[in-house]
Amino acid sequence: MKYQLKGNFFSNSYHLPPTSGPSSVDVIIDRHSPANTEQLLWKMPVDYRHVEPVVESAVKGFKTWRATPLEERIAALKRFQEIALSKKGEIAEAISLEMGKPLWEAMTEANSVVGKVDVTINDSLKRIQASPIKDIMPRTTGHTLFKPLGPCLVIGPFNFPCHLANTQILSALLAGNSVIFKPSEKTAYSGELLIDCMVQAGFPEGVINLMQGDGEVASRLVKDRRLKAVFFTGSKEVGLKILKSTYNDLSKMVALELGGKNPAIVHKDANTDLALAELLKGCFLTTGQRCTSTSIVAIHRSLMDEFVSKFHTYAKKIIIGHPLDNKPEPFMGPLVDQRAVDSYLLFMGMAKREGIEEVMRGKHLNKPTPGHYVSPSIHIAKGLDKKSHFLASEIFGPNCTFIPYDEVDEAIEIANSTEYGLASCVFTEDKNLYQKCLLEVDSGLLNLNRSTCGASAKLPFGGIKNSGNYHPAAVAAIDACVYTMTSLEVEHSSEDSDLKSIKGLDI
């Protein structure tokens, strides 16, 4: 067994659920590496009895942390940053082995964990700081206070097991909230490493909490009324379940970062070499397991044949292998598990049944180590078919489907045709066309001459329609970690006690 999990962290210590004896747990989750299914990474005992003490710990920690001066909170985040920097190699390797992304890509995620501290302090913090307004009324100063919500639950995804959760955790902490982190059960060790860096940074008791487990653990935490915020990154289906579980609890803020069916528009004046490189990354980075992965490419009919041919040529050259390989380094590792492989292959059959042309077939690949490896896939649809399940669904695998268009309005209709609205992009030299897309394309992000995977931590990140619920992450995550209180501060004078000035008072 590669790793040994420490258990759940609450009340300032780790608690490993018992696996034997009369009080042993009923559920133990085994995790094998998707890159080598013969390698057992860890065994995770799941103890639902720990939900209660974890919540109690977070409630206690909030009372301490909200009263902690901002300077001390910043200092704690800086200590975490130093520890995470020293452990980034260990974090990157764990991410690679648990979810399958190549080590070089996992290292960029580990680096982003470190860099996010500076962004949170330097860019996010100013969003919840307001200056007093003098003379808002006679002899009166107006104040806006941004107050922490309370204990926050962060439910992390498997595809960016540290980076995405880290953004929400840091924002919550800086704003004065305590945190419970529930990692994906597929990437429990990566999540533990992230929390362990915070534990070593010396936060007060109860401020940092870790609860490992399955969907039942998350469900029980979500329903607890003592938790005042839920941050979830994952599928639309689970996001809807969270909303159904919390709709009657008006005291709970729910921020959802969900999936996407992300379109690119390649116009007739595009720099095709640039578009080729960007779309190869946009479609196939992380083996297509990004919520921002490019799925649909609306391409001008005059470019399509030559562009798709070149795209296919380069897609066949993608190196697919074990994420820790370095001779040569792979561009793509495996999918996260067998269920993901089965789903991906199911979509390949669906495309064929719907009459969508197959340019490159997605299939399971045999490698030196047994794993969940698949090839990229490329399809061509004759046009927009609103009845197509394949064209509407988030595949969450390395697929790209081209759809030709003649007029820009057709391309925008293609871009807006799905239930999702996370990321989009357009390749053109025409700034007026870009402005038209900014106005008419329904998505939370729209890039010019850059793939849908290009996002900055210094900008808000979130989607519309079924890609989110209007609580963007990245620099804006901190907005959902506070509520506003306003205050009028009046300077007293002898006139304030003049009861005779009150109209309608018979004295």
Side-chain angles (χ1 to χ4, degrees):
M1 193 160 58
K2 174 71 174 178
Y3 301 123
Q4 182 68 51
L5 295 178
K6 296 180 181 180
N8 301 313
F9 185 84
F10 55 89
S11 299
N12 223 30
S13 62
Y14 282 99
H15 302 263
L16 186 64
T19 55
S20 61
S23 61
S24 63
V25 298
D26 294 326
V27 178
I28 297 178
I29 298 174
D30 294 350
R31 180 61 176 164
H32 292 79
S33 174
N36 181 359
T37 53
E38 294 178 349
Q39 182 182 27
L40 177 63
L41 296 178
W42 43 256
K43 289 179 176 288
M44 180 175 67
V46 181
D47 197 337
Y48 305 122
R49 295 166 297 186
H50 281 180
V51 170
E52 178 64 24
V54 163
V55 174
E56 290 177 352
S57 173
V59 170
K60 179 180 178 181
F62 172 63
K63 294 176 182 178
T64 301
W65 192 239
R66 69 178 175 183
T68 301
L70 177 61
E71 294 75 15
E72 293 184 27
R73 293 184 215 157
I74 291 175
L77 263 61
K78 285 288 190 181
R79 292 195 299 272
F80 159 74
Q81 184 181 40
E82 292 178 4
I83 295 165
L85 178 62
S86 69
K87 294 181 177 292
K88 66 179 184 178
E90 184 180 354
I91 293 171
E93 182 183 85
I95 293 171
S96 288
L97 290 177
E98 281 190 309
M99 71 80 50
K101 68 174 64 172
L103 185 61
W104 62 265
E105 187 184 354
M107 187 60 76
T108 64
E109 179 173 352
N111 283 325
S112 71
V113 168
V114 177
K116 189 62 184 180
V117 175
D118 292 330
V119 174
T120 306
I121 295 170
N122 298 331
D123 298 285
S124 295
L125 180 58
K126 65 183 68 173
R127 298 173 68 94
I128 59 169
Q129 292 177 318
S131 299
I133 303 174
K134 297 288 186 180
D135 299 320
I136 195 170
M137 295 176 181
R139 304 188 313 280
T140 304
T141 300
H143 297 276
T144 300
L145 294 84
F146 296 91
K147 301 184 67 175
L149 298 176
C152 295
L153 171 62
V154 176
I155 305 174
F158 73 82
N159 59 343
F160 286 90
C162 293
H163 166 57
L164 293 179
N166 183 60
T167 294
Q168 296 158 338
I169 292 171
L170 292 177
S171 295
L173 291 173
L174 189 60
N177 304 282
S178 60
V179 170
I180 300 172
F181 178 36
K182 192 278 175 193
S184 167
E185 61 269 32
K186 300 171 186 176
T187 51
Y189 187 69
S190 298
E192 181 182 287
L193 286 177
L194 180 67
I195 289 299
D196 211 35
C197 291
M198 294 184 173
V199 170
Q200 293 178 44
F203 287 83
E205 180 178 342
V207 175
I208 302 295
N209 303 274
L210 172 69
M211 184 70 199
Q212 302 277 20
D214 53 12
E216 176 62 23
V217 165
S219 178
R220 295 188 186 194
L221 288 168
V222 163
K223 293 175 184 177
D224 197 299
R225 288 181 174 267
R226 291 169 293 179
L227 302 186
K228 297 305 177 184
V230 177
F231 295 87
F232 171 74
T233 305
S235 70
K236 178 198 75 173
E237 290 73 22
V238 176
L240 288 173
K241 289 181 180 178
I242 291 174
L243 289 178
K244 289 178 181 178
S245 297
T246 58
Y247 79 95
N248 62 350
D249 183 358
L250 297 180
S251 71
K252 197 184 301 291
M253 192 291 306
V254 178
L256 303 176
E257 184 180 321
L258 307 176
K261 185 71 173 178
N262 307 298
I265 297 173
V266 182
H267 198 50
K268 60 185 176 182
D269 66 341
N271 180 326
T272 54
D273 288 339
L274 171 64
L276 276 169
E278 285 295 311
L279 290 177
L280 282 166
K281 292 184 291 184
C283 297
F284 303 138
L285 268 176
T286 325
T287 319
Q289 297 172 115
R290 293 191 179 200
C291 55
T292 56
S293 292
T294 307
S295 303
I296 297 289
V297 178
I299 185 166
H300 195 272
R301 197 177 302 274
S302 64
L303 300 179
M304 193 180 76
D305 290 345
E306 182 179 357
F307 191 94
V308 173
S309 177
K310 288 182 178 179
F311 189 81
H312 184 201
T313 298
Y314 286 117
K316 289 186 292 185
K317 295 180 182 295
I318 288 175
I319 297 170
I320 304 167
H322 194 286
L324 301 187
D325 285 349
N326 56 17
K327 292 183 180 179
E329 285 185 307
F331 179 83
M332 274 175 37
L335 290 173
V336 70
D337 57 20
Q338 185 60 47
R339 182 178 179 182
V341 174
D342 294 342
S343 175
Y344 179 64
L345 298 180
L346 184 68
F347 277 112
M348 298 301 101
M350 183 184 300
K352 185 173 293 187
R353 288 192 298 274
E354 292 184 358
I356 295 173
E357 181 184 346
E358 184 180 80
V359 177
M360 183 175 182
R361 182 165 65 95
K363 58 184 178 180
H364 182 263
L365 300 176
N366 293 318
K367 292 292 179 180
T369 54
H372 305 305
Y373 300 98
V374 296
S375 63
S377 57
I378 302 170
H379 290 83
I380 295 175
K382 294 179 181 178
L384 176 61
D385 180 358
K386 294 184 178 180
K387 296 181 180 180
S388 169
H389 189 67
F390 179 81
L391 294 179
S393 299
E394 182 182 33
I395 295 175
F396 227 59
N399 173 258
C400 177
T401 302
F402 290 90
I403 305 177
Y405 73 89
D406 296 298
E407 302 296 333
V408 170
D409 287 339
E410 295 176 63
I412 292 174
E413 184 183 7
I414 292 168
N416 290 337
S417 64
T418 75
E419 63 180 317
Y420 297 101
L422 181 55
S424 57
C425 64
V426 56
F427 293 91
T428 182
E429 299 301 314
D430 185 343
K431 289 297 181 68
N432 290 329
L433 190 152
Y434 170 52
Q435 291 298 322
K436 179 179 175 66
C437 290
L438 285 172
L439 179 65
E440 298 182 17
V441 172
D442 300 328
S443 66
L445 298 84
L446 189 145
N447 294 330
L448 173 64
N449 296 326
R450 182 163 181 165
S451 82
T452 55
C453 286
S456 170
K458 294 186 178 184
L459 293 173
F461 176 85
I464 60 171
K465 298 195 283 189
N466 283 340
S467 290
N469 65 335
Y470 301 103
H471 291 292
V475 73
I478 202 166
D479 298 355
C481 298
V482 295
Y483 71 93
T484 54
M485 173 188 281
T486 57
S487 175
L488 295 175
E489 181 182 332
V490 181
E491 297 178 11
H492 292 291
S493 71
S494 58
E495 298 176 6
D496 295 333
S497 58
D498 185 3
L499 296 175
K500 295 181 180 179
S501 66
I502 301 176
K503 293 182 180 180
L505 182 63
D506 186 14
I507 57 174

